[in-house]
Amino acid sequence: NSFCTLLDVVMSANASMHNGKRVLITGGAGFLGSHVTDRAMREGFDVYVMDNLYTGVLRNLEHHQGNPRFHFVNHDVQHPFPETVTKLKFDLIFHLACAASPVHYQAEPIMTTLTCVNGTNNVLKEALRNDCPVLVASTSEVYGDPLKNPQVETDWGNVNCTGIRSCYDEGKRAGEALCFDYHRNHGVKVRVVRIFNTYGPRMLFNDGRIISNFVVQALKNENITVYGTGEYTRSFQYCDDLIEGFWRLIHHPTETGPVNIGNPEEYSVLDMAKMIKAMVPGTKSEIVFLPAAKDDPKQRRPDNTKAQQVLGWNPTVPVAEGLKRTMEEFSTRLARENVAMDKVYVQCNPLLDVSSHVDEAFLAKYKLGKGTAGLAEPDQMGIYAELGARSDVKYIPGGAGLNTARVAQWMSQAPKASVITYVGAIGDDKNG
């Protein structure tokens, strides 16, 4: 307890002492990484964000553009770091680079595993070179489908090592193994945090996570989709609480982790769906049930004893308050995107990528995945008539050569708020 009190004092003092020090944040354009970036900027660091923008978006960082202490490096951590990074001396490193939602990591499973292994290895090499603390974001998914509840750091986990989630679950477990081998063999100051379900502003609308799904669906009057019976349980922490936990752990002089950081309040998925629906007045959304996702864990709740005793950390933002803040930000972002949607042009010949403009039901109806490109099958031809009838998408049919010219004209004349999606023909179309 005395150390935790001292840590509070040191962290408060550091807010004014950190000018001139550098921090590297991998994955810093993502949901959580951008909040870490905000904290580091507030504390006076020179901040270097490294991100390949697979799930990160520059919009999350636009409020730092023009600040001489902010630097962005477009790079994939799987590969050796560029000289723009390796020539510098860093005082802290946060490693958050990795797709963290099933939708995204299952879409690129090999990349996910290599990010967890090669990416973490490159980060640890950088921490060794700089002799600085490195916080590595692990996950509660290392516990798999837990054999007991709540989960404590000494649990070894119950993971399907060959399933569709294994690229992430086993990738993160391998990343943890690398951390502790670097610590034992080279004395690297690792700080491993196991993150439990986290939500808040800047979550991607299409990341497939429980709260982002439910909030977007309720705000857009779409059906709220619960996978399975809704009896599975989760705990949900607000992003600000998690970032505070990060900060306390990376400043601890000796604690390597792993340390659970999560909110121990447990909710069934169905109860959370009902709560979010009730918080959106007038929504026309109904709760519907879909088949359960494969290998989805039945329970997820942290034992926070270690975080409490070692870091003096507890979550402080009640779920209802966190949801309110999240909904306000989502509403603002949806309104902004809806304005842009009036100026969206989608051309399809013969197939398309409209995944950013249509819902999951539309994609499923025509057997499309996100980012689809290919020749249209006979049972997909109804896409064109349906797109033509939509009010939120301007669809102009035509040959690929003609539409290439059209899109060039639109791009040259479009207002800055415009969103233009264009996919030309592939296959034997010589003009495409």
PDB file of all heavy atoms in Angstrom, residues 140-141 144-146 148-151 196-197 210 227 229-236 264-272 296-302:
ATOM      1  N   SER A 140      -7.089 -11.553 -22.154  1.00  0.00           N
ATOM      2  CA  SER A 140      -7.776 -12.577 -21.367  1.00  0.00           C
ATOM      3  C   SER A 140      -8.046 -13.820 -22.192  1.00  0.00           C
ATOM      4  O   SER A 140      -8.359 -14.886 -21.638  1.00  0.00           O
ATOM      5  CB  SER A 140      -9.095 -12.018 -20.826  1.00  0.00           C
ATOM      6  OG  SER A 140      -9.955 -11.629 -21.884  1.00  0.00           O
ATOM      7  N   GLU A 141      -7.900 -13.723 -23.524  1.00  0.00           N
ATOM      8  CA  GLU A 141      -8.113 -14.894 -24.373  1.00  0.00           C
ATOM      9  C   GLU A 141      -7.068 -15.974 -24.139  1.00  0.00           C
ATOM     10  O   GLU A 141      -7.256 -17.119 -24.587  1.00  0.00           O
ATOM     11  CB  GLU A 141      -8.131 -14.488 -25.850  1.00  0.00           C
ATOM     12  CG  GLU A 141      -9.264 -13.543 -26.227  1.00  0.00           C
ATOM     13  CD  GLU A 141     -10.632 -14.106 -25.892  1.00  0.00           C
ATOM     14  OE1 GLU A 141     -10.940 -15.228 -26.317  1.00  0.00           O
ATOM     15  OE2 GLU A 141     -11.384 -13.423 -25.171  1.00  0.00           O
ATOM     16  N   GLY A 144      -8.547 -18.937 -22.662  1.00  0.00           N
ATOM     17  CA  GLY A 144      -9.421 -19.786 -23.458  1.00  0.00           C
ATOM     18  C   GLY A 144     -10.816 -19.864 -22.869  1.00  0.00           C
ATOM     19  O   GLY A 144     -11.366 -18.873 -22.387  1.00  0.00           O
ATOM     20  N   ASP A 145     -11.401 -21.055 -22.927  1.00  0.00           N
ATOM     21  CA  ASP A 145     -12.700 -21.300 -22.293  1.00  0.00           C
ATOM     22  C   ASP A 145     -12.392 -21.718 -20.857  1.00  0.00           C
ATOM     23  O   ASP A 145     -12.057 -22.884 -20.597  1.00  0.00           O
ATOM     24  CB  ASP A 145     -13.449 -22.410 -23.034  1.00  0.00           C
ATOM     25  CG  ASP A 145     -14.915 -22.483 -22.638  1.00  0.00           C
ATOM     26  OD1 ASP A 145     -15.364 -21.624 -21.857  1.00  0.00           O
ATOM     27  OD2 ASP A 145     -15.600 -23.398 -23.106  1.00  0.00           O
ATOM     28  N   PRO A 146     -12.464 -20.796 -19.904  1.00  0.00           N
ATOM     29  CA  PRO A 146     -11.864 -21.029 -18.585  1.00  0.00           C
ATOM     30  C   PRO A 146     -12.534 -22.157 -17.814  1.00  0.00           C
ATOM     31  O   PRO A 146     -13.747 -22.369 -17.901  1.00  0.00           O
ATOM     32  CB  PRO A 146     -12.039 -19.689 -17.876  1.00  0.00           C
ATOM     33  CG  PRO A 146     -13.185 -19.032 -18.567  1.00  0.00           C
ATOM     34  CD  PRO A 146     -13.119 -19.486 -19.994  1.00  0.00           C
ATOM     35  N   LYS A 148     -12.394 -22.227 -14.516  1.00  0.00           N
ATOM     36  CA  LYS A 148     -12.944 -21.651 -13.286  1.00  0.00           C
ATOM     37  C   LYS A 148     -13.142 -20.160 -13.473  1.00  0.00           C
ATOM     38  O   LYS A 148     -12.572 -19.541 -14.376  1.00  0.00           O
ATOM     39  CB  LYS A 148     -12.033 -21.936 -12.098  1.00  0.00           C
ATOM     40  CG  LYS A 148     -10.637 -21.349 -12.195  1.00  0.00           C
ATOM     41  CD  LYS A 148      -9.835 -21.719 -10.958  1.00  0.00           C
ATOM     42  CE  LYS A 148      -8.433 -21.117 -10.989  1.00  0.00           C
ATOM     43  NZ  LYS A 148      -7.661 -21.456  -9.777  1.00  0.00           N
ATOM     44  N   ASN A 149     -13.985 -19.598 -12.637  1.00  0.00           N
ATOM     45  CA  ASN A 149     -14.369 -18.210 -12.748  1.00  0.00           C
ATOM     46  C   ASN A 149     -14.336 -17.568 -11.363  1.00  0.00           C
ATOM     47  O   ASN A 149     -14.877 -18.152 -10.418  1.00  0.00           O
ATOM     48  CB  ASN A 149     -15.779 -18.118 -13.343  1.00  0.00           C
ATOM     49  CG  ASN A 149     -16.117 -16.753 -13.881  1.00  0.00           C
ATOM     50  OD1 ASN A 149     -15.298 -16.113 -14.526  1.00  0.00           O
ATOM     51  ND2 ASN A 149     -17.325 -16.300 -13.608  1.00  0.00           N
ATOM     52  N   PRO A 150     -13.712 -16.399 -11.150  1.00  0.00           N
ATOM     53  CA  PRO A 150     -13.006 -15.577 -12.129  1.00  0.00           C
ATOM     54  C   PRO A 150     -11.639 -16.162 -12.502  1.00  0.00           C
ATOM     55  O   PRO A 150     -11.172 -17.114 -11.878  1.00  0.00           O
ATOM     56  CB  PRO A 150     -12.861 -14.244 -11.397  1.00  0.00           C
ATOM     57  CG  PRO A 150     -12.751 -14.624  -9.955  1.00  0.00           C
ATOM     58  CD  PRO A 150     -13.695 -15.792  -9.790  1.00  0.00           C
ATOM     59  N   GLN A 151     -10.991 -15.544 -13.502  1.00  0.00           N
ATOM     60  CA  GLN A 151      -9.692 -16.017 -13.957  1.00  0.00           C
ATOM     61  C   GLN A 151      -8.576 -15.283 -13.200  1.00  0.00           C
ATOM     62  O   GLN A 151      -8.619 -14.069 -13.050  1.00  0.00           O
ATOM     63  CB  GLN A 151      -9.530 -15.789 -15.462  1.00  0.00           C
ATOM     64  CG  GLN A 151     -10.437 -16.653 -16.316  1.00  0.00           C
ATOM     65  CD  GLN A 151     -11.857 -16.101 -16.416  1.00  0.00           C
ATOM     66  OE1 GLN A 151     -12.059 -14.997 -16.920  1.00  0.00           O
ATOM     67  NE2 GLN A 151     -12.840 -16.857 -15.933  1.00  0.00           N
ATOM     68  N   PHE A 196      -8.932  -7.517 -20.342  1.00  0.00           N
ATOM     69  CA  PHE A 196     -10.275  -8.074 -20.433  1.00  0.00           C
ATOM     70  C   PHE A 196     -11.157  -7.119 -21.252  1.00  0.00           C
ATOM     71  O   PHE A 196     -10.759  -5.982 -21.537  1.00  0.00           O
ATOM     72  CB  PHE A 196     -10.847  -8.307 -19.037  1.00  0.00           C
ATOM     73  CG  PHE A 196     -10.299  -9.543 -18.359  1.00  0.00           C
ATOM     74  CD1 PHE A 196      -8.975  -9.589 -17.944  1.00  0.00           C
ATOM     75  CD2 PHE A 196     -11.088 -10.667 -18.166  1.00  0.00           C
ATOM     76  CE1 PHE A 196      -8.445 -10.728 -17.344  1.00  0.00           C
ATOM     77  CE2 PHE A 196     -10.575 -11.811 -17.577  1.00  0.00           C
ATOM     78  CZ  PHE A 196      -9.249 -11.842 -17.160  1.00  0.00           C
ATOM     79  N   ASN A 197     -12.335  -7.597 -21.647  1.00  0.00           N
ATOM     80  CA  ASN A 197     -13.204  -6.852 -22.568  1.00  0.00           C
ATOM     81  C   ASN A 197     -13.245  -5.366 -22.232  1.00  0.00           C
ATOM     82  O   ASN A 197     -13.595  -4.993 -21.106  1.00  0.00           O
ATOM     83  CB  ASN A 197     -14.630  -7.417 -22.531  1.00  0.00           C
ATOM     84  CG  ASN A 197     -14.688  -8.841 -23.024  1.00  0.00           C
ATOM     85  OD1 ASN A 197     -14.130  -9.740 -22.401  1.00  0.00           O
ATOM     86  ND2 ASN A 197     -15.369  -9.052 -24.135  1.00  0.00           N
ATOM     87  N   ILE A 210     -19.071  -7.146 -28.732  1.00  0.00           N
ATOM     88  CA  ILE A 210     -20.424  -7.101 -28.184  1.00  0.00           C
ATOM     89  C   ILE A 210     -20.949  -5.682 -28.085  1.00  0.00           C
ATOM     90  O   ILE A 210     -22.019  -5.354 -28.619  1.00  0.00           O
ATOM     91  CB  ILE A 210     -20.457  -7.808 -26.805  1.00  0.00           C
ATOM     92  CG1 ILE A 210     -20.227  -9.311 -26.983  1.00  0.00           C
ATOM     93  CG2 ILE A 210     -21.769  -7.529 -26.085  1.00  0.00           C
ATOM     94  CD1 ILE A 210     -20.001 -10.059 -25.686  1.00  0.00           C
ATOM     95  N   TYR A 227     -25.466 -13.830 -30.357  1.00  0.00           N
ATOM     96  CA  TYR A 227     -25.024 -15.139 -30.849  1.00  0.00           C
ATOM     97  C   TYR A 227     -25.201 -16.176 -29.749  1.00  0.00           C
ATOM     98  O   TYR A 227     -24.728 -16.000 -28.627  1.00  0.00           O
ATOM     99  CB  TYR A 227     -23.571 -15.071 -31.318  1.00  0.00           C
ATOM    100  CG  TYR A 227     -23.423 -14.222 -32.561  1.00  0.00           C
ATOM    101  CD1 TYR A 227     -23.175 -12.850 -32.460  1.00  0.00           C
ATOM    102  CD2 TYR A 227     -23.577 -14.774 -33.826  1.00  0.00           C
ATOM    103  CE1 TYR A 227     -23.064 -12.061 -33.598  1.00  0.00           C
ATOM    104  CE2 TYR A 227     -23.467 -13.997 -34.971  1.00  0.00           C
ATOM    105  CZ  TYR A 227     -23.213 -12.644 -34.849  1.00  0.00           C
ATOM    106  OH  TYR A 227     -23.115 -11.860 -35.969  1.00  0.00           O
ATOM    107  N   THR A 229     -27.518 -18.331 -27.047  1.00  0.00           N
ATOM    108  CA  THR A 229     -28.680 -18.036 -26.205  1.00  0.00           C
ATOM    109  C   THR A 229     -28.549 -16.738 -25.444  1.00  0.00           C
ATOM    110  O   THR A 229     -29.528 -16.270 -24.850  1.00  0.00           O
ATOM    111  CB  THR A 229     -28.887 -19.175 -25.181  1.00  0.00           C
ATOM    112  OG1 THR A 229     -27.739 -19.230 -24.315  1.00  0.00           O
ATOM    113  CG2 THR A 229     -29.066 -20.511 -25.885  1.00  0.00           C
ATOM    114  N   GLY A 230     -27.352 -16.154 -25.440  1.00  0.00           N
ATOM    115  CA  GLY A 230     -27.121 -14.943 -24.660  1.00  0.00           C
ATOM    116  C   GLY A 230     -26.776 -15.213 -23.217  1.00  0.00           C
ATOM    117  O   GLY A 230     -26.629 -14.284 -22.417  1.00  0.00           O
ATOM    118  N   GLU A 231     -26.624 -16.491 -22.842  1.00  0.00           N
ATOM    119  CA  GLU A 231     -26.335 -16.830 -21.448  1.00  0.00           C
ATOM    120  C   GLU A 231     -24.848 -16.718 -21.113  1.00  0.00           C
ATOM    121  O   GLU A 231     -24.476 -16.655 -19.934  1.00  0.00           O
ATOM    122  CB  GLU A 231     -26.814 -18.255 -21.150  1.00  0.00           C
ATOM    123  CG  GLU A 231     -28.331 -18.412 -21.263  1.00  0.00           C
ATOM    124  CD  GLU A 231     -28.768 -19.860 -21.111  1.00  0.00           C
ATOM    125  OE1 GLU A 231     -27.899 -20.754 -21.174  1.00  0.00           O
ATOM    126  OE2 GLU A 231     -29.980 -20.092 -20.930  1.00  0.00           O
ATOM    127  N   TYR A 232     -23.987 -16.708 -22.126  1.00  0.00           N
ATOM    128  CA  TYR A 232     -22.555 -16.540 -21.860  1.00  0.00           C
ATOM    129  C   TYR A 232     -22.339 -15.195 -21.156  1.00  0.00           C
ATOM    130  O   TYR A 232     -23.090 -14.246 -21.372  1.00  0.00           O
ATOM    131  CB  TYR A 232     -21.750 -16.564 -23.149  1.00  0.00           C
ATOM    132  CG  TYR A 232     -21.629 -17.924 -23.800  1.00  0.00           C
ATOM    133  CD1 TYR A 232     -22.269 -19.044 -23.284  1.00  0.00           C
ATOM    134  CD2 TYR A 232     -20.873 -18.087 -24.961  1.00  0.00           C
ATOM    135  CE1 TYR A 232     -22.155 -20.283 -23.895  1.00  0.00           C
ATOM    136  CE2 TYR A 232     -20.749 -19.323 -25.588  1.00  0.00           C
ATOM    137  CZ  TYR A 232     -21.394 -20.418 -25.044  1.00  0.00           C
ATOM    138  OH  TYR A 232     -21.280 -21.643 -25.642  1.00  0.00           O
ATOM    139  N   THR A 233     -21.311 -15.128 -20.318  1.00  0.00           N
ATOM    140  CA  THR A 233     -21.083 -13.910 -19.547  1.00  0.00           C
ATOM    141  C   THR A 233     -19.766 -13.243 -19.939  1.00  0.00           C
ATOM    142  O   THR A 233     -18.824 -13.898 -20.369  1.00  0.00           O
ATOM    143  CB  THR A 233     -21.070 -14.195 -18.040  1.00  0.00           C
ATOM    144  OG1 THR A 233     -19.971 -15.059 -17.716  1.00  0.00           O
ATOM    145  CG2 THR A 233     -22.379 -14.825 -17.590  1.00  0.00           C
ATOM    146  N   ARG A 234     -19.754 -11.926 -19.756  1.00  0.00           N
ATOM    147  CA  ARG A 234     -18.565 -11.114 -19.986  1.00  0.00           C
ATOM    148  C   ARG A 234     -18.495 -10.026 -18.912  1.00  0.00           C
ATOM    149  O   ARG A 234     -19.493  -9.686 -18.286  1.00  0.00           O
ATOM    150  CB  ARG A 234     -18.600 -10.448 -21.370  1.00  0.00           C
ATOM    151  CG  ARG A 234     -18.581 -11.406 -22.548  1.00  0.00           C
ATOM    152  CD  ARG A 234     -17.246 -12.103 -22.697  1.00  0.00           C
ATOM    153  NE  ARG A 234     -17.201 -12.954 -23.887  1.00  0.00           N
ATOM    154  CZ  ARG A 234     -17.546 -14.241 -23.895  1.00  0.00           C
ATOM    155  NH1 ARG A 234     -17.997 -14.817 -22.793  1.00  0.00           N
ATOM    156  NH2 ARG A 234     -17.449 -14.949 -25.006  1.00  0.00           N
ATOM    157  N   SER A 235     -17.299  -9.484 -18.734  1.00  0.00           N
ATOM    158  CA  SER A 235     -17.142  -8.282 -17.915  1.00  0.00           C
ATOM    159  C   SER A 235     -16.633  -7.180 -18.831  1.00  0.00           C
ATOM    160  O   SER A 235     -15.875  -7.445 -19.763  1.00  0.00           O
ATOM    161  CB  SER A 235     -16.163  -8.530 -16.767  1.00  0.00           C
ATOM    162  OG  SER A 235     -14.881  -8.860 -17.265  1.00  0.00           O
ATOM    163  N   PHE A 236     -17.052  -5.955 -18.584  1.00  0.00           N
ATOM    164  CA  PHE A 236     -16.766  -4.858 -19.506  1.00  0.00           C
ATOM    165  C   PHE A 236     -16.148  -3.688 -18.754  1.00  0.00           C
ATOM    166  O   PHE A 236     -16.734  -3.168 -17.802  1.00  0.00           O
ATOM    167  CB  PHE A 236     -18.058  -4.392 -20.186  1.00  0.00           C
ATOM    168  CG  PHE A 236     -18.759  -5.477 -20.960  1.00  0.00           C
ATOM    169  CD1 PHE A 236     -19.794  -6.203 -20.380  1.00  0.00           C
ATOM    170  CD2 PHE A 236     -18.372  -5.790 -22.254  1.00  0.00           C
ATOM    171  CE1 PHE A 236     -20.445  -7.200 -21.087  1.00  0.00           C
ATOM    172  CE2 PHE A 236     -19.016  -6.791 -22.970  1.00  0.00           C
ATOM    173  CZ  PHE A 236     -20.056  -7.501 -22.384  1.00  0.00           C
ATOM    174  N   PRO A 264     -14.510  -6.453 -12.858  1.00  0.00           N
ATOM    175  CA  PRO A 264     -15.032  -7.759 -12.433  1.00  0.00           C
ATOM    176  C   PRO A 264     -16.552  -7.881 -12.452  1.00  0.00           C
ATOM    177  O   PRO A 264     -17.080  -8.963 -12.197  1.00  0.00           O
ATOM    178  CB  PRO A 264     -14.491  -7.885 -11.002  1.00  0.00           C
ATOM    179  CG  PRO A 264     -14.347  -6.481 -10.518  1.00  0.00           C
ATOM    180  CD  PRO A 264     -13.956  -5.672 -11.728  1.00  0.00           C
ATOM    181  N   GLU A 265     -17.282  -6.789 -12.761  1.00  0.00           N
ATOM    182  CA  GLU A 265     -18.738  -6.898 -12.848  1.00  0.00           C
ATOM    183  C   GLU A 265     -19.110  -7.780 -14.034  1.00  0.00           C
ATOM    184  O   GLU A 265     -18.677  -7.528 -15.153  1.00  0.00           O
ATOM    185  CB  GLU A 265     -19.382  -5.520 -13.008  1.00  0.00           C
ATOM    186  CG  GLU A 265     -19.265  -4.628 -11.798  1.00  0.00           C
ATOM    187  CD  GLU A 265     -20.005  -3.311 -11.997  1.00  0.00           C
ATOM    188  OE1 GLU A 265     -20.977  -3.300 -12.797  1.00  0.00           O
ATOM    189  OE2 GLU A 265     -19.613  -2.313 -11.395  1.00  0.00           O
ATOM    190  N   GLU A 266     -19.909  -8.789 -13.794  1.00  0.00           N
ATOM    191  CA  GLU A 266     -20.209  -9.788 -14.819  1.00  0.00           C
ATOM    192  C   GLU A 266     -21.635  -9.618 -15.328  1.00  0.00           C
ATOM    193  O   GLU A 266     -22.574  -9.447 -14.544  1.00  0.00           O
ATOM    194  CB  GLU A 266     -20.022 -11.190 -14.233  1.00  0.00           C
ATOM    195  CG  GLU A 266     -19.970 -12.307 -15.245  1.00  0.00           C
ATOM    196  CD  GLU A 266     -19.525 -13.626 -14.602  1.00  0.00           C
ATOM    197  OE1 GLU A 266     -19.551 -13.719 -13.353  1.00  0.00           O
ATOM    198  OE2 GLU A 266     -19.182 -14.553 -15.347  1.00  0.00           O
ATOM    199  N   TYR A 267     -21.778  -9.644 -16.648  1.00  0.00           N
ATOM    200  CA  TYR A 267     -23.087  -9.512 -17.288  1.00  0.00           C
ATOM    201  C   TYR A 267     -23.254 -10.645 -18.284  1.00  0.00           C
ATOM    202  O   TYR A 267     -22.301 -11.018 -18.983  1.00  0.00           O
ATOM    203  CB  TYR A 267     -23.201  -8.193 -18.053  1.00  0.00           C
ATOM    204  CG  TYR A 267     -23.168  -6.951 -17.202  1.00  0.00           C
ATOM    205  CD1 TYR A 267     -21.954  -6.390 -16.813  1.00  0.00           C
ATOM    206  CD2 TYR A 267     -24.343  -6.336 -16.802  1.00  0.00           C
ATOM    207  CE1 TYR A 267     -21.912  -5.247 -16.035  1.00  0.00           C
ATOM    208  CE2 TYR A 267     -24.320  -5.185 -16.026  1.00  0.00           C
ATOM    209  CZ  TYR A 267     -23.097  -4.646 -15.644  1.00  0.00           C
ATOM    210  OH  TYR A 267     -23.066  -3.517 -14.871  1.00  0.00           O
ATOM    211  N   SER A 268     -24.472 -11.146 -18.406  1.00  0.00           N
ATOM    212  CA  SER A 268     -24.735 -12.039 -19.532  1.00  0.00           C
ATOM    213  C   SER A 268     -24.820 -11.192 -20.792  1.00  0.00           C
ATOM    214  O   SER A 268     -25.136  -9.992 -20.740  1.00  0.00           O
ATOM    215  CB  SER A 268     -26.040 -12.815 -19.326  1.00  0.00           C
ATOM    216  OG  SER A 268     -27.165 -11.980 -19.537  1.00  0.00           O
ATOM    217  N   VAL A 269     -24.529 -11.802 -21.929  1.00  0.00           N
ATOM    218  CA  VAL A 269     -24.597 -11.074 -23.191  1.00  0.00           C
ATOM    219  C   VAL A 269     -26.018 -10.563 -23.439  1.00  0.00           C
ATOM    220  O   VAL A 269     -26.219  -9.434 -23.898  1.00  0.00           O
ATOM    221  CB  VAL A 269     -24.130 -11.984 -24.346  1.00  0.00           C
ATOM    222  CG1 VAL A 269     -24.324 -11.295 -25.690  1.00  0.00           C
ATOM    223  CG2 VAL A 269     -22.665 -12.376 -24.155  1.00  0.00           C
ATOM    224  N   LEU A 270     -27.011 -11.377 -23.091  1.00  0.00           N
ATOM    225  CA  LEU A 270     -28.399 -10.954 -23.282  1.00  0.00           C
ATOM    226  C   LEU A 270     -28.741  -9.765 -22.396  1.00  0.00           C
ATOM    227  O   LEU A 270     -29.410  -8.820 -22.839  1.00  0.00           O
ATOM    228  CB  LEU A 270     -29.342 -12.122 -22.997  1.00  0.00           C
ATOM    229  CG  LEU A 270     -30.837 -11.842 -23.176  1.00  0.00           C
ATOM    230  CD1 LEU A 270     -31.143 -11.339 -24.586  1.00  0.00           C
ATOM    231  CD2 LEU A 270     -31.652 -13.100 -22.882  1.00  0.00           C
ATOM    232  N   ASP A 271     -28.283  -9.774 -21.146  1.00  0.00           N
ATOM    233  CA  ASP A 271     -28.543  -8.637 -20.255  1.00  0.00           C
ATOM    234  C   ASP A 271     -27.910  -7.358 -20.805  1.00  0.00           C
ATOM    235  O   ASP A 271     -28.501  -6.271 -20.708  1.00  0.00           O
ATOM    236  CB  ASP A 271     -28.013  -8.922 -18.859  1.00  0.00           C
ATOM    237  CG  ASP A 271     -28.905  -9.887 -18.081  1.00  0.00           C
ATOM    238  OD1 ASP A 271     -30.065 -10.067 -18.484  1.00  0.00           O
ATOM    239  OD2 ASP A 271     -28.428 -10.458 -17.077  1.00  0.00           O
ATOM    240  N   MET A 272     -26.714  -7.474 -21.371  1.00  0.00           N
ATOM    241  CA  MET A 272     -26.074  -6.294 -21.948  1.00  0.00           C
ATOM    242  C   MET A 272     -26.855  -5.786 -23.155  1.00  0.00           C
ATOM    243  O   MET A 272     -27.009  -4.578 -23.349  1.00  0.00           O
ATOM    244  CB  MET A 272     -24.629  -6.624 -22.337  1.00  0.00           C
ATOM    245  CG  MET A 272     -23.855  -5.450 -22.938  1.00  0.00           C
ATOM    246  SD  MET A 272     -23.847  -3.939 -21.918  1.00  0.00           S
ATOM    247  CE  MET A 272     -22.996  -4.519 -20.448  1.00  0.00           C
ATOM    248  N   ASP A 296     -16.350 -19.839 -28.791  1.00  0.00           N
ATOM    249  CA  ASP A 296     -16.591 -18.647 -27.978  1.00  0.00           C
ATOM    250  C   ASP A 296     -16.584 -19.040 -26.502  1.00  0.00           C
ATOM    251  O   ASP A 296     -17.328 -19.942 -26.092  1.00  0.00           O
ATOM    252  CB  ASP A 296     -17.946 -18.046 -28.348  1.00  0.00           C
ATOM    253  CG  ASP A 296     -18.061 -16.589 -27.975  1.00  0.00           C
ATOM    254  OD1 ASP A 296     -17.019 -15.944 -27.810  1.00  0.00           O
ATOM    255  OD2 ASP A 296     -19.198 -16.095 -27.853  1.00  0.00           O
ATOM    256  N   PRO A 297     -15.738 -18.406 -25.657  1.00  0.00           N
ATOM    257  CA  PRO A 297     -15.691 -18.798 -24.247  1.00  0.00           C
ATOM    258  C   PRO A 297     -17.000 -18.510 -23.527  1.00  0.00           C
ATOM    259  O   PRO A 297     -17.682 -17.527 -23.823  1.00  0.00           O
ATOM    260  CB  PRO A 297     -14.542 -17.956 -23.676  1.00  0.00           C
ATOM    261  CG  PRO A 297     -14.366 -16.836 -24.631  1.00  0.00           C
ATOM    262  CD  PRO A 297     -14.766 -17.354 -25.969  1.00  0.00           C
ATOM    263  N   LYS A 298     -17.329 -19.370 -22.574  1.00  0.00           N
ATOM    264  CA  LYS A 298     -18.614 -19.244 -21.873  1.00  0.00           C
ATOM    265  C   LYS A 298     -18.587 -18.156 -20.807  1.00  0.00           C
ATOM    266  O   LYS A 298     -19.621 -17.569 -20.497  1.00  0.00           O
ATOM    267  CB  LYS A 298     -18.994 -20.590 -21.235  1.00  0.00           C
ATOM    268  CG  LYS A 298     -19.174 -21.723 -22.232  1.00  0.00           C
ATOM    269  CD  LYS A 298     -19.498 -23.030 -21.521  1.00  0.00           C
ATOM    270  CE  LYS A 298     -19.634 -24.182 -22.513  1.00  0.00           C
ATOM    271  NZ  LYS A 298     -18.334 -24.491 -23.174  1.00  0.00           N
ATOM    272  N   GLN A 299     -17.415 -17.918 -20.224  1.00  0.00           N
ATOM    273  CA  GLN A 299     -17.300 -16.922 -19.155  1.00  0.00           C
ATOM    274  C   GLN A 299     -16.030 -16.117 -19.352  1.00  0.00           C
ATOM    275  O   GLN A 299     -15.037 -16.608 -19.896  1.00  0.00           O
ATOM    276  CB  GLN A 299     -17.252 -17.601 -17.780  1.00  0.00           C
ATOM    277  CG  GLN A 299     -18.532 -18.316 -17.379  1.00  0.00           C
ATOM    278  CD  GLN A 299     -18.354 -19.020 -16.040  1.00  0.00           C
ATOM    279  OE1 GLN A 299     -17.442 -19.811 -15.850  1.00  0.00           O
ATOM    280  NE2 GLN A 299     -19.229 -18.728 -15.099  1.00  0.00           N
ATOM    281  N   ARG A 300     -16.067 -14.884 -18.858  1.00  0.00           N
ATOM    282  CA  ARG A 300     -14.871 -14.061 -18.884  1.00  0.00           C
ATOM    283  C   ARG A 300     -14.994 -13.017 -17.767  1.00  0.00           C
ATOM    284  O   ARG A 300     -15.811 -12.109 -17.857  1.00  0.00           O
ATOM    285  CB  ARG A 300     -14.694 -13.402 -20.246  1.00  0.00           C
ATOM    286  CG  ARG A 300     -13.401 -12.650 -20.408  1.00  0.00           C
ATOM    287  CD  ARG A 300     -12.184 -13.570 -20.460  1.00  0.00           C
ATOM    288  NE  ARG A 300     -11.993 -14.196 -21.742  1.00  0.00           N
ATOM    289  CZ  ARG A 300     -11.780 -15.506 -21.887  1.00  0.00           C
ATOM    290  NH1 ARG A 300     -11.797 -16.309 -20.840  1.00  0.00           N
ATOM    291  NH2 ARG A 300     -11.561 -16.025 -23.068  1.00  0.00           N
ATOM    292  N   ARG A 301     -14.218 -13.191 -16.691  1.00  0.00           N
ATOM    293  CA  ARG A 301     -14.240 -12.232 -15.577  1.00  0.00           C
ATOM    294  C   ARG A 301     -12.887 -12.278 -14.884  1.00  0.00           C
ATOM    295  O   ARG A 301     -12.373 -13.352 -14.566  1.00  0.00           O
ATOM    296  CB  ARG A 301     -15.356 -12.577 -14.585  1.00  0.00           C
ATOM    297  CG  ARG A 301     -15.424 -11.639 -13.389  1.00  0.00           C
ATOM    298  CD  ARG A 301     -16.769 -11.771 -12.663  1.00  0.00           C
ATOM    299  NE  ARG A 301     -16.951 -13.067 -12.047  1.00  0.00           N
ATOM    300  CZ  ARG A 301     -16.748 -13.307 -10.742  1.00  0.00           C
ATOM    301  NH1 ARG A 301     -16.356 -12.341  -9.928  1.00  0.00           N
ATOM    302  NH2 ARG A 301     -16.956 -14.507 -10.254  1.00  0.00           N
ATOM    303  N   PRO A 302     -12.285 -11.119 -14.640  1.00  0.00           N
ATOM    304  CA  PRO A 302     -10.943 -11.107 -14.057  1.00  0.00           C
ATOM    305  C   PRO A 302     -10.954 -11.188 -12.537  1.00  0.00           C
ATOM    306  O   PRO A 302     -11.846 -10.655 -11.861  1.00  0.00           O
ATOM    307  CB  PRO A 302     -10.398  -9.753 -14.500  1.00  0.00           C
ATOM    308  CG  PRO A 302     -11.616  -8.875 -14.518  1.00  0.00           C
ATOM    309  CD  PRO A 302     -12.748  -9.768 -14.990  1.00  0.00           C
TER     310      PRO A 302
END
